[in-house]
Amino acid sequence: MSPLLGISLKLLSALFFTLMSAGIKSISTRYPTGEIVFIRSFFAMIPLLIWLAWRSELPHALKTDNLRGHLKRGIMGSTGMFCGFAALQFLPLSEAVAIGYAAPLAVVVLAALVLKERVRIYRWTAVTIGFVGVLIMLSPHLGAGAHQLGPGAAIGAALGLAGAFCSAFASVEVRLLTQTERTGAIVFYFMLLTCLLGLSTILLGWNIPGYQDAAMMVVIGILGGLGQILIVQAYRYGDASLVAPFEYSTMLWAVAIGWFWFGEWPASTIFIGAFIVIASGIYVIFRERQLGLARRAQREVAPSRLT
C-alpha cells in the first residue's frame, strides 16, 4: 500500500476525466451524442488492452461466466453515458460535473433497495442532506426564471440527473460483478457494449469530422481509457475510504477548465449545492469505512471466542 501514490493517481484520473468532459463539450454541438459515445468507447479500449497486455493478463483477464451481469451493467452505464454527454451540450462544465455528484448518494439508496444492504439513520440523513444540495443546484432550472438560463438548460439538468441515476444503477451492478469477475473483464465488456450501442446510432446519421475534431475525438477516448486505468491503480495503492473523496477534486478542475476554456463561471447555487453534496458524500464514505472496520473486527473476534 502507498496512500500518497493512490491519492495522486486518483487526482490525475479526475483531471483526465474532466479534460475528457471538456473535450466532449467542445464538440457536442457538431456531432450526434451516439457518435461521440462510440469514439470515446472505441479509443478508450486501446490503452485498456495495452495495459492488460503489459500486465500479462490477456486473454484470461477477459474471461467471464456472467455475461448477463455485464449486459445489465453495460446497458445502464451506457444510458448514463449518453445522458451525461448530452447534458454537456446544454450545461456549463462545472454544473454538469456537480449534478453528477448525485450518483454516489443514489448508490446508497439502491444498495438498500436492490442489494438489501443495511443502511442506518446516519447514512440516510447524509443522503437526504445531499439530495437537498442537488435540489439547490437544480433550483435555477425549476423556478420561474429558468428561461433566462438559455434554451435547453432545463433539458440539460434533467439529462445530467438522469445520467447520475443510471450511473448509480450501474455501480450497484458492478458491486455484484466484482464478487466473481476480474476488473479487466468488467471494464472491457462495458466499453465493448457501449461501443456497439454507440455504433448502432450510425443509422440515425453521423457527421464526418475534420482533422482537428478527429484528433480531439481520439484524445477524448484515450483520456477516458487512461482515466479508467488510473482509478483501478489508485484503489490498488490506497484504501477506498482514503482515495474515494478525492473524486470531488473534479469540481476544482471543472471550474478552472470551464473558466479558461469556455469562459464559464458557476452560479452561487452551484457552489453551495456542490459543497453540501460533497460534504454528504464524504461523510457516507467515511461511515462506510467505519462500518467496514467494525465488521472486520467482529469477524476477527468470532474465531477467538470459539477457541
Side-chain angles (χ1 to χ4, degrees):
M1 300 292 286
S2 179
L4 287 178
L5 179 57
I7 291 171
S8 299
L9 292 172
K10 183 65 174 179
L11 289 171
L12 193 57
S13 75
L15 173 60
F16 280 15
F17 278 125
T18 309
L19 285 171
M20 181 198 76
S21 297
I24 291 169
K25 180 175 176 59
S26 70
I27 64 172
S28 62
T29 58
R30 298 192 293 276
Y31 301 95
T33 301
E35 183 176 356
I36 297 174
V37 168
F38 168 76
I39 294 296
R40 188 272 192 213
S41 301
F42 179 81
F43 285 102
M45 285 196 287
I46 295 176
L48 171 65
L49 292 174
I50 292 174
W51 177 62
L52 291 175
W54 176 70
R55 292 173 57 86
S56 300
E57 295 182 1
L58 287 177
H60 63 273
L62 306 182
K63 181 181 178 182
T64 179
D65 296 318
N66 189 6
L67 280 175
R68 183 173 179 270
H70 287 292
L71 184 62
K72 289 166 59 180
R73 186 266 172 133
I75 291 174
M76 294 308 302
S78 298
T79 303
M81 187 180 292
F82 271 87
C83 291
F85 287 6
L88 286 167
Q89 181 178 346
F90 302 103
L91 297 175
L93 180 62
S94 57
E95 187 169 340
V97 168
I99 291 175
Y101 292 156
L105 301 175
V107 168
V108 177
V109 178
L110 294 174
L113 297 176
V114 179
L115 302 180
K116 307 303 180 183
E117 291 184 3
R118 187 175 183 182
V119 179
R120 299 180 183 275
I121 186 64
Y122 299 102
R123 280 189 290 168
W124 280 125
T125 302
V127 168
T128 302
I129 294 173
F131 280 124
V132 170
V134 173
L135 288 175
I136 291 175
M137 289 189 289
L138 293 176
S139 59
H141 305 281
L142 303 175
H147 65 280
Q148 299 177 359
L149 298 176
I155 295 175
L159 286 169
L161 195 60
F165 276 92
C166 287
S167 297
F169 273 103
S171 296
V172 170
E173 193 61 39
V174 168
R175 286 193 184 185
L176 296 174
L177 287 171
T178 54
Q179 297 174 9
T180 58
E181 301 293 295
R182 295 179 176 88
T183 300
I186 294 173
V187 177
F188 174 78
Y189 287 111
F190 169 63
M191 291 297 178
L192 179 61
L193 182 60
T194 304
C195 190
L196 293 175
L197 290 175
L199 181 61
S200 67
T201 65
I202 195 172
L203 300 175
L204 302 177
W206 283 8
N207 298 328
I208 299 176
Y211 291 114
Q212 186 173 355
D213 283 353
M216 175 64 74
M217 289 178 173
V218 173
V219 171
I220 286 170
I222 292 176
L223 283 172
L226 291 176
Q228 193 69 53
I229 293 171
L230 288 170
I231 285 179
V232 174
Q233 292 298 94
Y235 287 112
R236 189 182 303 276
Y237 289 107
D239 288 336
S241 58
L242 175 67
V243 172
F246 290 91
E247 170 68 21
Y248 295 113
S249 65
T250 51
M251 188 62 185
L252 300 177
W253 296 127
V255 170
I257 294 171
W259 183 45
F260 281 107
W261 193 336
F262 303 105
E264 301 168 343
W265 187 254
S268 59
T269 52
I270 299 300
F271 281 119
I272 295 171
F275 175 79
I276 295 173
V277 173
I278 290 171
S280 301
I282 291 176
Y283 177 82
V284 169
I285 291 169
F286 280 102
R287 185 63 183 171
E288 291 274 5
R289 179 178 184 273
Q290 291 177 339
L291 293 174
L293 292 174
R295 287 192 291 266
R296 186 184 306 172
Q298 290 176 353
R299 288 194 297 267
E300 292 173 352
V301 170
S304 63
R305 288 178 176 174
L306 294 176
T307 56

mmCIF file of all heavy atoms in Angstrom, residues 18 92-95 97-98 101 248-267 270-271 274 278:
data_model
loop_
_atom_site.group_PDB
_atom_site.id
_atom_site.type_symbol
_atom_site.label_atom_id
_atom_site.label_comp_id
_atom_site.label_asym_id
_atom_site.label_seq_id
_atom_site.Cartn_x
_atom_site.Cartn_y
_atom_site.Cartn_z
ATOM 1 N N THR A 18 -12.092 15.051 -16.361
ATOM 2 C CA THR A 18 -12.618 16.396 -16.548
ATOM 3 C C THR A 18 -12.185 16.965 -17.892
ATOM 4 O O THR A 18 -12.973 17.616 -18.588
ATOM 5 C CB THR A 18 -12.146 17.324 -15.411
ATOM 6 O OG1 THR A 18 -12.424 16.721 -14.146
ATOM 7 C CG2 THR A 18 -12.884 18.656 -15.468
ATOM 8 N N PRO A 92 -23.064 24.372 -18.375
ATOM 9 C CA PRO A 92 -21.654 24.669 -18.117
ATOM 10 C C PRO A 92 -20.956 23.424 -17.572
ATOM 11 O O PRO A 92 -21.581 22.584 -16.913
ATOM 12 C CB PRO A 92 -21.719 25.774 -17.058
ATOM 13 C CG PRO A 92 -23.073 26.386 -17.217
ATOM 14 C CD PRO A 92 -23.973 25.265 -17.642
ATOM 15 N N LEU A 93 -19.668 23.299 -17.832
ATOM 16 C CA LEU A 93 -18.921 22.113 -17.438
ATOM 17 C C LEU A 93 -19.016 21.841 -15.945
ATOM 18 O O LEU A 93 -19.291 20.711 -15.519
ATOM 19 C CB LEU A 93 -17.449 22.278 -17.849
ATOM 20 C CG LEU A 93 -16.510 21.119 -17.506
ATOM 21 C CD1 LEU A 93 -16.943 19.850 -18.228
ATOM 22 C CD2 LEU A 93 -15.078 21.494 -17.865
ATOM 23 N N SER A 94 -18.813 22.867 -15.130
ATOM 24 C CA SER A 94 -18.833 22.674 -13.672
ATOM 25 C C SER A 94 -20.211 22.261 -13.179
ATOM 26 O O SER A 94 -20.335 21.466 -12.244
ATOM 27 C CB SER A 94 -18.392 23.963 -12.964
ATOM 28 O OG SER A 94 -19.219 25.054 -13.349
ATOM 29 N N GLU A 95 -21.267 22.766 -13.809
ATOM 30 C CA GLU A 95 -22.622 22.407 -13.400
ATOM 31 C C GLU A 95 -22.925 20.955 -13.744
ATOM 32 O O GLU A 95 -23.525 20.226 -12.933
ATOM 33 C CB GLU A 95 -23.636 23.327 -14.071
ATOM 34 C CG GLU A 95 -25.062 23.139 -13.582
ATOM 35 C CD GLU A 95 -25.994 24.231 -14.075
ATOM 36 O OE1 GLU A 95 -25.502 25.306 -14.458
ATOM 37 O OE2 GLU A 95 -27.220 23.998 -14.069
ATOM 38 N N VAL A 97 -20.759 18.547 -14.010
ATOM 39 C CA VAL A 97 -19.966 17.729 -13.087
ATOM 40 C C VAL A 97 -20.622 17.680 -11.715
ATOM 41 O O VAL A 97 -20.725 16.615 -11.090
ATOM 42 C CB VAL A 97 -18.530 18.283 -12.988
ATOM 43 C CG1 VAL A 97 -17.777 17.637 -11.828
ATOM 44 C CG2 VAL A 97 -17.782 18.044 -14.292
ATOM 45 N N ALA A 98 -21.079 18.831 -11.237
ATOM 46 C CA ALA A 98 -21.673 18.897 -9.894
ATOM 47 C C ALA A 98 -22.956 18.079 -9.802
ATOM 48 O O ALA A 98 -23.187 17.377 -8.812
ATOM 49 C CB ALA A 98 -21.951 20.356 -9.520
ATOM 50 N N TYR A 101 -22.634 14.448 -9.087
ATOM 51 C CA TYR A 101 -22.326 14.007 -7.722
ATOM 52 C C TYR A 101 -23.528 13.367 -7.037
ATOM 53 O O TYR A 101 -23.401 12.818 -5.931
ATOM 54 C CB TYR A 101 -21.841 15.181 -6.874
ATOM 55 C CG TYR A 101 -20.492 15.722 -7.277
ATOM 56 C CD1 TYR A 101 -20.130 17.037 -6.978
ATOM 57 C CD2 TYR A 101 -19.566 14.935 -7.957
ATOM 58 C CE1 TYR A 101 -18.892 17.545 -7.339
ATOM 59 C CE2 TYR A 101 -18.336 15.433 -8.324
ATOM 60 C CZ TYR A 101 -17.998 16.736 -8.011
ATOM 61 O OH TYR A 101 -16.775 17.238 -8.369
ATOM 62 N N TYR A 248 -13.970 14.198 -5.736
ATOM 63 C CA TYR A 248 -14.608 15.506 -5.768
ATOM 64 C C TYR A 248 -13.659 16.612 -6.218
ATOM 65 O O TYR A 248 -14.081 17.767 -6.371
ATOM 66 C CB TYR A 248 -15.192 15.823 -4.395
ATOM 67 C CG TYR A 248 -16.314 14.879 -4.013
ATOM 68 C CD1 TYR A 248 -16.179 13.979 -2.963
ATOM 69 C CD2 TYR A 248 -17.508 14.877 -4.727
ATOM 70 C CE1 TYR A 248 -17.205 13.104 -2.628
ATOM 71 C CE2 TYR A 248 -18.536 14.013 -4.404
ATOM 72 C CZ TYR A 248 -18.380 13.127 -3.359
ATOM 73 O OH TYR A 248 -19.399 12.254 -3.030
ATOM 74 N N SER A 249 -12.387 16.279 -6.430
ATOM 75 C CA SER A 249 -11.468 17.271 -6.991
ATOM 76 C C SER A 249 -11.874 17.627 -8.423
ATOM 77 O O SER A 249 -11.408 18.640 -8.965
ATOM 78 C CB SER A 249 -10.032 16.751 -6.968
ATOM 79 O OG SER A 249 -9.883 15.627 -7.818
ATOM 80 N N THR A 250 -12.733 16.798 -9.025
ATOM 81 C CA THR A 250 -13.215 17.123 -10.375
ATOM 82 C C THR A 250 -13.905 18.482 -10.405
ATOM 83 O O THR A 250 -13.907 19.153 -11.440
ATOM 84 C CB THR A 250 -14.198 16.052 -10.888
ATOM 85 O OG1 THR A 250 -15.218 15.838 -9.901
ATOM 86 C CG2 THR A 250 -13.484 14.741 -11.168
ATOM 87 N N MET A 251 -14.480 18.897 -9.267
ATOM 88 C CA MET A 251 -15.146 20.199 -9.230
ATOM 89 C C MET A 251 -14.134 21.325 -9.403
ATOM 90 O O MET A 251 -14.389 22.303 -10.112
ATOM 91 C CB MET A 251 -15.900 20.360 -7.904
ATOM 92 C CG MET A 251 -16.783 21.596 -7.847
ATOM 93 S SD MET A 251 -18.089 21.549 -9.112
ATOM 94 C CE MET A 251 -18.835 23.151 -8.899
ATOM 95 N N LEU A 252 -12.976 21.175 -8.763
ATOM 96 C CA LEU A 252 -11.931 22.191 -8.904
ATOM 97 C C LEU A 252 -11.423 22.242 -10.348
ATOM 98 O O LEU A 252 -11.269 23.324 -10.916
ATOM 99 C CB LEU A 252 -10.773 21.888 -7.958
ATOM 100 C CG LEU A 252 -11.106 21.851 -6.459
ATOM 101 C CD1 LEU A 252 -9.873 21.467 -5.650
ATOM 102 C CD2 LEU A 252 -11.634 23.207 -6.008
ATOM 103 N N TRP A 253 -11.183 21.057 -10.917
ATOM 104 C CA TRP A 253 -10.729 21.015 -12.313
ATOM 105 C C TRP A 253 -11.791 21.609 -13.231
ATOM 106 O O TRP A 253 -11.470 22.346 -14.175
ATOM 107 C CB TRP A 253 -10.442 19.570 -12.731
ATOM 108 C CG TRP A 253 -9.341 18.863 -12.015
ATOM 109 C CD1 TRP A 253 -9.406 17.646 -11.389
ATOM 110 C CD2 TRP A 253 -7.979 19.286 -11.858
ATOM 111 N NE1 TRP A 253 -8.197 17.290 -10.848
ATOM 112 C CE2 TRP A 253 -7.294 18.288 -11.124
ATOM 113 C CE3 TRP A 253 -7.271 20.424 -12.256
ATOM 114 C CZ2 TRP A 253 -5.952 18.385 -10.795
ATOM 115 C CZ3 TRP A 253 -5.928 20.529 -11.924
ATOM 116 C CH2 TRP A 253 -5.290 19.522 -11.204
ATOM 117 N N ALA A 254 -13.075 21.268 -12.972
ATOM 118 C CA ALA A 254 -14.152 21.718 -13.850
ATOM 119 C C ALA A 254 -14.304 23.236 -13.814
ATOM 120 O O ALA A 254 -14.523 23.879 -14.854
ATOM 121 C CB ALA A 254 -15.474 21.055 -13.457
ATOM 122 N N VAL A 255 -14.186 23.833 -12.625
ATOM 123 C CA VAL A 255 -14.286 25.290 -12.512
ATOM 124 C C VAL A 255 -13.132 25.957 -13.264
ATOM 125 O O VAL A 255 -13.330 26.912 -14.032
ATOM 126 C CB VAL A 255 -14.295 25.721 -11.032
ATOM 127 C CG1 VAL A 255 -14.162 27.238 -10.921
ATOM 128 C CG2 VAL A 255 -15.572 25.255 -10.350
ATOM 129 N N ALA A 256 -11.914 25.438 -13.051
ATOM 130 C CA ALA A 256 -10.737 26.034 -13.692
ATOM 131 C C ALA A 256 -10.791 25.873 -15.209
ATOM 132 O O ALA A 256 -10.591 26.843 -15.963
ATOM 133 C CB ALA A 256 -9.460 25.399 -13.133
ATOM 134 N N ILE A 257 -11.071 24.646 -15.675
ATOM 135 C CA ILE A 257 -11.104 24.391 -17.114
ATOM 136 C C ILE A 257 -12.274 25.126 -17.763
ATOM 137 O O ILE A 257 -12.154 25.677 -18.865
ATOM 138 C CB ILE A 257 -11.190 22.880 -17.386
ATOM 139 C CG1 ILE A 257 -9.903 22.194 -16.906
ATOM 140 C CG2 ILE A 257 -11.408 22.597 -18.865
ATOM 141 C CD1 ILE A 257 -9.967 20.678 -16.932
ATOM 142 N N GLY A 258 -13.436 25.123 -17.085
ATOM 143 C CA GLY A 258 -14.593 25.833 -17.627
ATOM 144 C C GLY A 258 -14.329 27.315 -17.794
ATOM 145 O O GLY A 258 -14.795 27.932 -18.762
ATOM 146 N N TRP A 259 -13.579 27.888 -16.857
ATOM 147 C CA TRP A 259 -13.269 29.321 -16.926
ATOM 148 C C TRP A 259 -12.282 29.615 -18.061
ATOM 149 O O TRP A 259 -12.490 30.511 -18.876
ATOM 150 C CB TRP A 259 -12.714 29.789 -15.583
ATOM 151 C CG TRP A 259 -12.434 31.260 -15.535
ATOM 152 C CD1 TRP A 259 -13.241 32.266 -15.991
ATOM 153 C CD2 TRP A 259 -11.259 31.891 -15.014
ATOM 154 N NE1 TRP A 259 -12.660 33.491 -15.767
ATOM 155 C CE2 TRP A 259 -11.443 33.291 -15.164
ATOM 156 C CE3 TRP A 259 -10.111 31.418 -14.407
ATOM 157 C CZ2 TRP A 259 -10.482 34.210 -14.744
ATOM 158 C CZ3 TRP A 259 -9.158 32.346 -13.984
ATOM 159 C CH2 TRP A 259 -9.339 33.719 -14.158
ATOM 160 N N PHE A 260 -11.190 28.821 -18.130
ATOM 161 C CA PHE A 260 -10.148 29.086 -19.138
ATOM 162 C C PHE A 260 -10.600 28.704 -20.542
ATOM 163 O O PHE A 260 -10.268 29.383 -21.512
ATOM 164 C CB PHE A 260 -8.867 28.318 -18.779
ATOM 165 C CG PHE A 260 -8.053 28.963 -17.697
ATOM 166 C CD1 PHE A 260 -8.010 28.410 -16.428
ATOM 167 C CD2 PHE A 260 -7.343 30.132 -17.944
ATOM 168 C CE1 PHE A 260 -7.260 29.005 -15.420
ATOM 169 C CE2 PHE A 260 -6.597 30.738 -16.940
ATOM 170 C CZ PHE A 260 -6.545 30.175 -15.674
ATOM 171 N N TRP A 261 -11.334 27.593 -20.660
ATOM 172 C CA TRP A 261 -11.657 27.056 -21.985
ATOM 173 C C TRP A 261 -12.942 27.670 -22.553
ATOM 174 O O TRP A 261 -13.002 28.051 -23.723
ATOM 175 C CB TRP A 261 -11.784 25.534 -21.894
ATOM 176 C CG TRP A 261 -11.798 24.813 -23.203
ATOM 177 C CD1 TRP A 261 -12.158 25.294 -24.437
ATOM 178 C CD2 TRP A 261 -11.419 23.445 -23.436
ATOM 179 N NE1 TRP A 261 -12.039 24.331 -25.410
ATOM 180 C CE2 TRP A 261 -11.580 23.184 -24.823
ATOM 181 C CE3 TRP A 261 -10.976 22.416 -22.617
ATOM 182 C CZ2 TRP A 261 -11.324 21.943 -25.388
ATOM 183 C CZ3 TRP A 261 -10.717 21.177 -23.177
ATOM 184 C CH2 TRP A 261 -10.879 20.941 -24.539
ATOM 185 N N PHE A 262 -13.968 27.770 -21.678
ATOM 186 C CA PHE A 262 -15.286 28.197 -22.173
ATOM 187 C C PHE A 262 -15.724 29.561 -21.641
ATOM 188 O O PHE A 262 -16.794 30.038 -22.004
ATOM 189 C CB PHE A 262 -16.343 27.151 -21.799
ATOM 190 C CG PHE A 262 -16.032 25.765 -22.307
ATOM 191 C CD1 PHE A 262 -15.570 24.777 -21.453
ATOM 192 C CD2 PHE A 262 -16.187 25.464 -23.657
ATOM 193 C CE1 PHE A 262 -15.276 23.501 -21.916
ATOM 194 C CE2 PHE A 262 -15.896 24.195 -24.133
ATOM 195 C CZ PHE A 262 -15.436 23.213 -23.265
ATOM 196 N N GLY A 263 -14.931 30.161 -20.776
ATOM 197 C CA GLY A 263 -15.318 31.436 -20.201
ATOM 198 C C GLY A 263 -16.526 31.336 -19.289
ATOM 199 O O GLY A 263 -17.300 32.292 -19.159
ATOM 200 N N GLU A 264 -16.697 30.191 -18.617
ATOM 201 C CA GLU A 264 -17.845 29.961 -17.735
ATOM 202 C C GLU A 264 -17.434 30.148 -16.280
ATOM 203 O O GLU A 264 -16.324 29.786 -15.884
ATOM 204 C CB GLU A 264 -18.384 28.535 -17.925
ATOM 205 C CG GLU A 264 -18.821 28.205 -19.334
ATOM 206 C CD GLU A 264 -19.073 26.714 -19.520
ATOM 207 O OE1 GLU A 264 -18.614 25.921 -18.675
ATOM 208 O OE2 GLU A 264 -19.717 26.348 -20.516
ATOM 209 N N TRP A 265 -18.363 30.676 -15.487
ATOM 210 C CA TRP A 265 -18.153 30.759 -14.040
ATOM 211 C C TRP A 265 -19.441 30.307 -13.358
ATOM 212 O O TRP A 265 -20.513 30.816 -13.662
ATOM 213 C CB TRP A 265 -17.796 32.170 -13.611
ATOM 214 C CG TRP A 265 -17.402 32.230 -12.156
ATOM 215 C CD1 TRP A 265 -18.144 32.730 -11.128
ATOM 216 C CD2 TRP A 265 -16.194 31.751 -11.584
ATOM 217 N NE1 TRP A 265 -17.476 32.583 -9.943
ATOM 218 C CE2 TRP A 265 -16.256 31.988 -10.187
ATOM 219 C CE3 TRP A 265 -15.042 31.132 -12.102
ATOM 220 C CZ2 TRP A 265 -15.227 31.639 -9.318
ATOM 221 C CZ3 TRP A 265 -14.018 30.787 -11.221
ATOM 222 C CH2 TRP A 265 -14.116 31.037 -9.859
ATOM 223 N N PRO A 266 -19.355 29.328 -12.448
ATOM 224 C CA PRO A 266 -20.573 28.763 -11.853
ATOM 225 C C PRO A 266 -21.371 29.781 -11.044
ATOM 226 O O PRO A 266 -20.800 30.691 -10.431
ATOM 227 C CB PRO A 266 -20.036 27.647 -10.935
ATOM 228 C CG PRO A 266 -18.639 27.392 -11.392
ATOM 229 C CD PRO A 266 -18.138 28.678 -11.940
ATOM 230 N N ALA A 267 -22.673 29.607 -11.028
ATOM 231 C CA ALA A 267 -23.541 30.425 -10.187
ATOM 232 C C ALA A 267 -23.329 30.051 -8.722
ATOM 233 O O ALA A 267 -22.831 28.971 -8.400
ATOM 234 C CB ALA A 267 -25.004 30.216 -10.583
ATOM 235 N N ILE A 270 -24.603 26.701 -7.494
ATOM 236 C CA ILE A 270 -23.792 25.526 -7.809
ATOM 237 C C ILE A 270 -22.751 25.314 -6.732
ATOM 238 O O ILE A 270 -22.543 24.183 -6.255
ATOM 239 C CB ILE A 270 -23.126 25.677 -9.186
ATOM 240 C CG1 ILE A 270 -24.187 25.799 -10.282
ATOM 241 C CG2 ILE A 270 -22.203 24.490 -9.469
ATOM 242 C CD1 ILE A 270 -25.105 24.601 -10.369
ATOM 243 N N PHE A 271 -22.086 26.375 -6.305
ATOM 244 C CA PHE A 271 -21.080 26.258 -5.257
ATOM 245 C C PHE A 271 -21.700 25.773 -3.953
ATOM 246 O O PHE A 271 -21.171 24.884 -3.283
ATOM 247 C CB PHE A 271 -20.381 27.602 -5.030
ATOM 248 C CG PHE A 271 -19.333 27.928 -6.049
ATOM 249 C CD1 PHE A 271 -19.453 29.051 -6.847
ATOM 250 C CD2 PHE A 271 -18.227 27.117 -6.216
ATOM 251 C CE1 PHE A 271 -18.488 29.355 -7.791
ATOM 252 C CE2 PHE A 271 -17.252 27.407 -7.161
ATOM 253 C CZ PHE A 271 -17.380 28.530 -7.944
ATOM 254 N N ALA A 274 -23.051 22.120 -4.424
ATOM 255 C CA ALA A 274 -21.938 21.177 -4.558
ATOM 256 C C ALA A 274 -21.243 20.956 -3.225
ATOM 257 O O ALA A 274 -20.852 19.821 -2.886
ATOM 258 C CB ALA A 274 -20.942 21.684 -5.595
ATOM 259 N N ILE A 278 -20.933 17.313 -1.651
ATOM 260 C CA ILE A 278 -19.596 16.776 -1.398
ATOM 261 C C ILE A 278 -19.424 16.413 0.072
ATOM 262 O O ILE A 278 -18.898 15.345 0.404
ATOM 263 C CB ILE A 278 -18.526 17.788 -1.843
ATOM 264 C CG1 ILE A 278 -18.518 17.889 -3.377
ATOM 265 C CG2 ILE A 278 -17.142 17.388 -1.337
ATOM 266 C CD1 ILE A 278 -17.660 19.019 -3.911
#
